[in-house]
Amino acid sequence: MKFRVERDVLAEAVTWVARGLPARPPVPVLAGILLEASDDGTLTLSAFDYEVSARVTVAAEVAEAGTVLVLGRLLADISRNLPARPIDLATEGNKVHVTCGASRFSLLMMPADDYPTLPASPEPTGTVDGHLFTQAVAQVSVAADRGDTLPILTGVRVEVEGDTMTLLATDRYRLAMRELTWNPTATDASHVVLIPARTLSETARSLGASGSIDVALGATAGGDGLVGFEAGRRRTTTRLLDGEYPKVSSIFPTTSDTEAVVRTADLVEAVKRVALVAERNTPVRLRFAGDQVAIEAGTGDDAQASEAVECTLTGPDVEIAFNPTYLLDGLGAVGTDWTRVSFTQPSRPAVLSGQDSADGEADTSYRYVLMPVRFAS
């Protein structure tokens, strides 16, 4: 195999494919990247660890077609650090020679025959705006469980009904749901899948800048139990989580007794400051009364802090306590200048949603439900 490719093109392609390579692969070949040079002037780079596959095709001057497997992270490090000149790559015996200007590297060829067969290229079920999808995944994945106690809660539940896509995640202490519109190939599209949150976040971030993302669900995803994404010349598949996701839609309160509208940045800054004295696993207390919310933390002989922020209150006064990290996660995910906080009672979940102005309508396409913390008072 012999080809020439631009440094930036190769570096970007190798870095994207290598991002999901396991640090300690169970089988040595899984640390490799498969390079396939074709006579039609394309170079395809692939990686697969039985869970996630990644494949990207770039233009190259191919003198001799062929396939080779080399250490992925090493090739990524080399290609990023080479001078800004064309890179020549050629095989000789069991070595792969990489030449760029005066720089020369020889890499050991890995046994390509032992490399697992990648899933078939996914056929799209529909397309979604890249920026919108990336934002939605970030808003929802913040609520996914990061532990291993209940693996099913480490996923994001993606439900498709016609042209509506609903993303949902929960770790039992908070729940995030985002609805968005997408363009299905069939108007009667109906799917429910559970995608690992970490993988979905990385995929959305790496593909979101491409304008639109093709999403493949069900039988068209390249194999059973897979979901596929494609943008530009980048394609990736991910193995889905198995199991029945808990029925959590009933957690969303249907009514609210009290609603408060507050400037998001002001509340975030105040909670961050007050939470400095909140020891681990202790809540911050929020008292909504009149035209302000008073935020307090610390009790008794411990360090204490308090701060007040202006708000517009509708309904009876309410005092409630939250885990400050979970509250800040929700305020950060809302993504609007103003946040509406809706309550039924201090012992029931509160709902955070965004709005563009102090007296505007709430944008309920994103809702963040937060369980209160019981406090003695």
Side-chain angles (χ1 to χ4, degrees):
M1 186 174 77
K2 187 176 183 182
F3 64 84
R4 168 173 282 197
V5 64
E6 291 299 322
R7 194 281 306 263
D8 290 347
V9 171
L10 182 66
E12 186 180 328
V14 175
T15 301
W16 183 76
V17 170
R19 79 196 193 289
L21 288 177
R24 296 185 181 86
V27 184
V29 290
L30 295 184
I33 283 183
L34 200 63
L35 306 177
E36 299 170 88
S38 303
D39 289 324
D40 61 0
T42 59
L43 172 67
T44 301
L45 300 89
S46 311
F48 184 40
D49 66 355
Y50 293 106
E51 296 290 329
V52 179
S53 78
R55 183 181 290 159
V56 61
T57 303
V58 297
E61 297 174 24
V62 180
E64 191 178 329
T67 301
V68 68
L69 184 69
V70 294
L71 277 172
R73 292 185 190 276
L74 180 58
L75 182 61
D77 289 341
I78 290 171
S79 58
R80 278 197 303 267
N81 286 284
L82 286 172
R85 302 173 72 171
I87 295 174
D88 290 301
L89 194 145
T91 56
E92 184 183 340
N94 66 342
K95 293 286 182 72
V96 179
H97 299 296
V98 180
T99 308
C100 180
S103 300
R104 287 174 172 76
F105 292 85
S106 289
L107 309 182
L108 194 63
M109 203 183 295
M110 301 171 75
D113 293 342
D114 296 346
Y115 202 70
T117 304
L118 272 80
S121 294
E123 291 290 326
T125 313
T127 62
V128 62
D129 178 80
H131 172 72
L132 192 66
F133 186 67
T134 305
Q135 181 195 41
V137 170
Q139 287 180 315
V140 169
S141 58
V142 72
D145 200 347
R146 290 168 177 79
D148 295 325
T149 314
L150 282 171
I152 202 159
L153 295 184
T154 63
V156 172
R157 182 182 186 271
V158 179
E159 180 177 356
V160 166
E161 280 296 334
D163 64 354
T164 301
M165 179 184 287
T166 305
L167 285 70
L168 186 146
T170 182
D171 62 1
R172 294 172 295 172
Y173 304 106
R174 63 260 179 87
L175 185 155
M177 185 173 81
R178 171 69 192 268
E179 288 185 352
L180 63 151
T181 302
W182 77 314
N183 303 304
T185 51
T187 54
D188 60 346
S190 180
H191 300 277
V192 177
V193 295
L194 193 57
I195 307 172
R198 185 181 300 172
T199 308
L200 182 61
S201 296
E202 290 175 355
T203 300
R205 279 198 305 268
S206 66
L207 298 182
S210 302
S212 73
I213 300 174
D214 292 339
V215 184
L217 301 163
T220 66
D224 288 337
L226 296 176
V227 59
F229 300 94
E230 182 170 351
R233 291 190 155 195
R234 296 177 174 184
R235 301 183 294 281
T236 180
T237 63
T238 301
R239 186 157 297 284
L240 300 171
L241 293 170
D242 286 328
E244 188 70 28
Y245 203 72
K247 293 178 171 55
V248 292
S249 55
S250 59
I251 292 174
F252 286 97
T254 52
T255 60
S256 61
D257 299 334
T258 301
E259 289 191 342
V261 177
V262 59
R263 190 182 289 275
T264 308
D266 292 350
L267 186 56
V268 166
E269 292 303 316
V271 171
K272 280 182 179 177
R273 282 189 287 268
V274 171
L276 293 172
V277 302
E279 302 215 358
R280 195 177 173 194
N281 296 327
T282 60
V284 292
R285 301 181 298 279
L286 284 76
R287 185 181 295 108
F288 293 87
D291 59 355
Q292 67 176 26
V293 50
I295 306 133
E296 299 175 351
T299 55
D301 296 332
D302 297 329
Q304 298 176 14
S306 64
E307 187 166 338
V309 174
E310 286 184 12
C311 75
T312 304
L313 192 67
T314 308
D317 297 353
V318 65
E319 186 172 0
I320 195 165
F322 296 119
N323 175 308
T325 303
Y326 296 165
L327 176 59
L328 289 169
D329 283 346
L331 292 170
V334 164
T336 51
D337 291 341
W338 298 83
T339 297
R340 182 184 294 252
V341 191
S342 306
F343 313 92
T344 47
Q345 51 189 12
S347 60
R348 301 289 299 157
V351 181
L352 275 64
S353 54
Q355 57 190 65
D356 292 327
S357 60
D359 53 359
E361 289 292 315
D363 178 6
T364 56
S365 65
Y366 177 68
R367 288 179 287 169
Y368 182 90
V369 180
L370 185 55
M371 295 293 292
V373 179
R374 293 179 186 275
F375 62 95
S377 68

